[in-house]
């Protein structure tokens, strides 16, 4: 993978959030409030994971749909936190990929 | 915002993760293991938010950088969960945006 | 505070949980499943904290009651995790108190 | 189990925390700050659960000790939140037990 500095997918996602948030008088909540929301959303994701893969194991298209929705909500919340701190998520992503192909790349057994 | 079905930013991000993960014999952990990792990563984000905005309030470029890194790590973990369930994050994102401009759009005071 | 080895409050709480759990064929879920439940419960607590102290600030007796219930649920979940690992929570508590009066005791401004 | 109103184990634990906290000028952080700390602590617990039961499965006395410490830290944090809201955790616990023996008691297969 060659990560192209010009191609910036997460910036697009952040802009979607910002465009929506800028309609309001107070576009973003305070950092701790966004964090609490993140906690709430990850809690809902956890419930779905337990529904699908936990004691009762209900695997269905509908369950996967709920999981997908919860992941979407978490990404939204992360974009709010990033936008309210002027964080560029494509730079964050570049760091993640650098870590993957650098520091962490020998941690697991390759094929 | 007109959300274009052809333009799929989060798919690109998912592909980055998949390309990396496919190097390994077991590309993805079990769902509950990924969830536990997510919990760990959100915990690290929470620590950074408390560092920046909590009792000691250390706001600096370096702190923002750490916050950015933690958000990147969470998005990576979410991509692992999505990929291991064949979830298309751009569809998830479309749902989020639909909710924003539909159900939730009258919840807050507009400008 | 002199912590008396004979007096063991958290053991009592653990026993309450164990007495209830032992009625069932599978008294405890798997550790990752309990962890996911913990995540769900802390998410519900986070929602209550945002309700009480977040953007909308609804402080009332009823809200405090909900917060109390969520804290109770989290302690229950922690007891399940502890019991299924034969962890003695009074020993855990002794460690916490030792840390408070040892390592961490000079961290904050005293009266 | 007969839950005795006079016997109040969690109050004792709360008092331990309060006695420690009252040494300081600002005994308790703000609710959202305590919540962020809770998130951090649950994240550390999640890491231990993944260490013990996740991809690498390192089960040992030392690992169980770490799990125990993390559970202790979470209970401490919950006591801070409860104390700063004048929440009586024994009443919270009574509610939990009532739920166990009432509403939820038929949810799982008995022996």
């Amino acid at each position: 993978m060659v990560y192209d500095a010009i191609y910036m997918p997460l910036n697009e996602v952040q802009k979607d959030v910002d465009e929506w948030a800028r309609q309001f008088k107070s576009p973003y909540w305070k950092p701790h409030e966004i964090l609490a929301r993140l906690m709430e959303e990850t809690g809902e994701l956890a419930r779905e994971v337990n529904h699908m893969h936990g004691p009762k194991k209900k695997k269905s298209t509908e369950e996967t749909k709920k999981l997908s929705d919860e992941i979407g909500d978490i990404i939204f919340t992360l974009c709010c936190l990033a936008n309210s701190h002027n964080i560029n998520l494509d730079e964050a992503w570049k760091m993640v990929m650098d870590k993957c192909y650098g520091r962490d790349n020998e941690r697991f057994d390759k094929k």
Side-chain angles (χ1 to χ4, degrees), chain A:
Chain A
M1 188 210 58
V2 179
Y3 211 84
D4 181 354
I6 298 163
Y7 176 63
M8 298 194 293
L10 288 171
N11 274 11
E12 293 300 320
V13 172
Q14 288 184 273
K15 269 184 216 161
D16 286 349
V17 174
D18 203 54
E19 214 169 298
W20 175 78
R22 292 284 162 210
Q23 301 176 81
F24 305 106
K25 280 181 195 164
S26 307
Y28 297 108
W29 292 357
K30 289 176 193 166
H32 274 92
E33 294 167 356
I34 300 174
L35 190 71
R37 169 61 70 97
L38 177 68
M39 220 166 152
E40 193 186 331
E41 303 289 5
T42 52
E44 291 177 5
L45 180 70
R47 189 179 53 217
E48 292 311 319
V49 170
N50 252 0
H51 277 183
M52 282 188 85
H53 304 283
K56 294 183 178 177
K57 295 197 201 324
K58 300 188 290 177
K59 288 182 199 177
S60 69
T61 312
E62 198 195 346
E63 293 300 316
T64 309
K65 173 71 179 57
K66 284 182 197 166
L67 204 69
S68 169
D69 288 354
E70 298 302 344
I71 297 175
D73 287 344
I74 296 175
I75 294 175
F76 182 87
T77 309
L78 293 171
C79 287
C80 290
L81 193 63
N83 287 349
S84 64
H85 286 81
N86 293 315
I87 285 170
N88 180 330
L89 285 181
D90 283 303
E91 287 178 15
W93 194 246
K94 199 183 167 311
M95 290 301 296
V96 170
M97 286 294 107
D98 284 352
K99 247 190 331 184
C100 277
Y101 286 98
R103 197 180 73 184
D104 287 0
N105 208 34
E106 305 308 320
R107 282 177 61 196
F108 302 103
D109 289 338
K110 296 232 177 119
K111 279 178 184 170

